[in-house]
Structure formats: structure tokens, C-alpha cells
Amino acid sequence: MADSTKSESTSRTLEHGLDVLMCFLKNHRELSLTEIARTVGRNTTSTYRLIQTLAEKGFLARNPENRKYFLGMTVKMLGELVDDKEELRLAAHPYLVKVHREFNENVSVYIYHNFKRLCIDRIESTHPLRQTVLVGEELPLTLGGGGTALLAFLPPKVQAAVMKSEPGISPEKLREIRKKGYAVSYDEMGQGSVGIGVPIFDKNGRVLAALNLSGPTNRLTDDVVTRGVARLQEIAAQVTSELAS
């Protein structure tokens, strides 16, 4: 009972903290303590405590001249992460359309997120037999062509942490993927499934994402897989070039 009450209290505090940040969405660049408290409907004492916590984490900062608060660097950095993801998605999407037209199989873009791979864009096959993945869904990095192609080019410390929490792939396999520059998986995301993964890099050679083409073995034959690898590698290079320009 005590744990439940504590959890509910923590949840409410988080909600109130988010309410404070939401105040700045109404075209307010700076707000005083009194203005924030009035907007969120709380007293100034409790609001001040929330503001102090948010300021400690960099979500808010204070103007020393007028003593008003404004959004801090943490919000800016988070916003840049969102912008980068959207820029990547917009650059890759037209190519996903072309691959989908050519192969009529599932085509996706995955990025690294919290020791998983996160789907940020996807076009599904029109065939009745297909695997469904939702945009915003997280999947293992250690399974599937898209996951292992991304994992193979992540920093070694991240690889070690992922493999510790999700066994299923060896360092030797990752070295093999890095050497080839792509990954092909069989039966890892379901019996009879095939997945092709090719990394997308930034201009400095750091991995940004992985392109993924997937479908059943009866359609993704060896010849189709070979064509798919070449096509995804071509697209990955084009996306890298566009993002660098």
C-alpha cells in the first residue's frame, strides 16, 4: 500500500513538472514564478520546488536581470535530437517508396534508442503474408537484419551492454557484418522470415540508422536478397550524401 501511494505521488509530481514546461508552449519566452504558478493552478511554494528541480536538470534557466525563467539547454538538446530524427526520416522516405515499389516487401528505417532499435518509418508489403511492425515500436538489436546491421556499427561499449542484456549474437558475428557492410538474417524474426539490413552513416562515419527490407523466404530468394542488399547499399549512400549537403 505504501509503495502504491509513493508511486502515485511520484507520478503526480512528474505530471506537475511537465505542466510547468507546457506553460512555455503558449509563445511565452520568459515567465515569472507567479505567472507559472497561476498558469498551472498551484501555489508558488510548490511551483518553486518544481522549477528548482527542472533547473537543476537543465530544463529551465533563470534570467538574472528580470528573475524570470526560460527553457534551458536540456530542452534544446532534446529538440535537436527530434530534429535530427525527422531530417533522417524525410531524407530516407522517398527511397523507401522506391524500394517498396520495386520489391513490394516491408521496408523500414530503424535508429538506436535505449539499447533497442526504434522504427521511425515503414512501408508494409501489400502481400497478405507479412510481418507487421508499427512506427514507434521498439525491437531487439540482436535479432533481424535491421537490428544486427545497426548494432554492428554502434560503439563497443553499447554493443557490450546490449549483448549482456539480450544474448543472441556474438562479437564474431558483428565483426563479420562490419566487414561485409550489411546483415542478412533468416528465421530470427519468425519462422520463414528473411531480413536485410544496411547501415546509414553520417558524414563522419558514425552510424545513424539502418535500412531494412524484410519478407518471407518464399519471396526473398537468394537472387532477391542479393538485389536487395545492393539496392539498400545504394540508397544508404544517397541518404548519407543528402544529409551531409
Side-chain angles (χ1 to χ4, degrees), residues 59-123:
F59 286 94
L60 291 177
R62 192 182 191 190
N63 185 333
E65 294 183 0
N66 59 17
R67 303 169 66 86
K68 289 189 175 184
Y69 296 91
F70 58 93
L71 294 175
M73 288 301 297
T74 298
V75 175
K76 183 177 184 296
M77 289 187 290
L78 290 173
E80 288 173 350
L81 289 174
V82 173
D83 288 344
D84 289 345
K85 184 176 74 173
E86 184 63 9
E87 184 182 10
L88 170 63
R89 191 191 69 80
L90 290 174
H93 186 77
Y95 297 107
L96 261 64
V97 172
K98 292 180 181 179
V99 174
H100 183 260
R101 287 174 181 166
E102 182 177 347
F103 293 91
N104 193 18
E105 298 295 351
N106 299 328
V107 285
S108 312
V109 180
Y110 291 99
I111 62 170
Y112 169 76
H113 178 72
N114 196 27
F115 302 107
K116 300 281 187 179
R117 56 174 161 133
L118 174 70
C119 181
I120 64 168
D121 201 5
R122 182 175 173 91
I123 305 175

Side-chain angles (χ1 to χ4, degrees), residues 145-146 149-150 181-183 196-200 209-212 228-230 232-234 236-237:
L150 185 55
Y182 65 89
I196 304 167
V198 170
I200 299 173
L211 293 167
N212 181 227
V229 168
L232 292 188
Q233 287 180 320
E234 176 187 339

